[in-house]
Amino acid sequence: GKSQLLYCKINFVYKVIIEGYSGPMPAALIKIIQEQTTKDIAKTTADGKPVYVIGPFAKEGEATKLAESLKAVSTGTISVQRDEKR
């Protein structure tokens, strides 16, 4: 029946991306991340600058809530990225 189609939709995961810092992530941001989530902080580089990725979150709302908290204290760029779950 039609109800089975619901299970075929693509699942997404959400990640919080922190950019705009030339050195280590400020302690204030790390504190917020550790208070709000147990997710890992992964570090990659783009154009020679560090990019921090937190996640993956199953719910967009969880990622958005963390992003908003970080924006309140961050001078960098905070964004939420949606990825297809593989």
Side-chain angles (χ1 to χ4, degrees):
K2 281 184 180 169
S3 61
Q4 287 180 337
L5 290 173
L6 294 174
Y7 301 105
C8 297
K9 70 177 186 189
I10 297 168
N11 282 321
F12 291 105
V13 291
Y14 300 88
K15 294 171 184 167
V16 177
I17 314 290
I18 302 172
E19 300 169 277
Y21 292 101
S22 53
M25 193 193 305
L29 296 192
I30 294 170
K31 185 166 177 271
I32 289 172
I33 294 163
Q34 289 175 340
E35 282 172 359
Q36 291 203 10
T37 182
T38 55
K39 304 288 185 200
D40 292 332
I41 304 171
K43 182 181 170 186
T44 61
T45 49
D47 300 327
K49 294 187 177 130
V51 176
Y52 300 96
V53 182
I54 304 133
F57 296 90
K59 296 189 176 84
E60 186 177 14
E62 291 173 14
T64 304
K65 182 170 173 269
L66 177 59
E68 291 302 322
S69 300
L70 294 170
K71 280 177 190 173
V73 300
S74 172
T75 56
T77 306
I78 315 285
S79 55
V80 175
Q81 178 183 315
R82 184 176 79 170
D83 285 341
E84 283 184 20
K85 199 174 180 179
R86 309 217 178 280

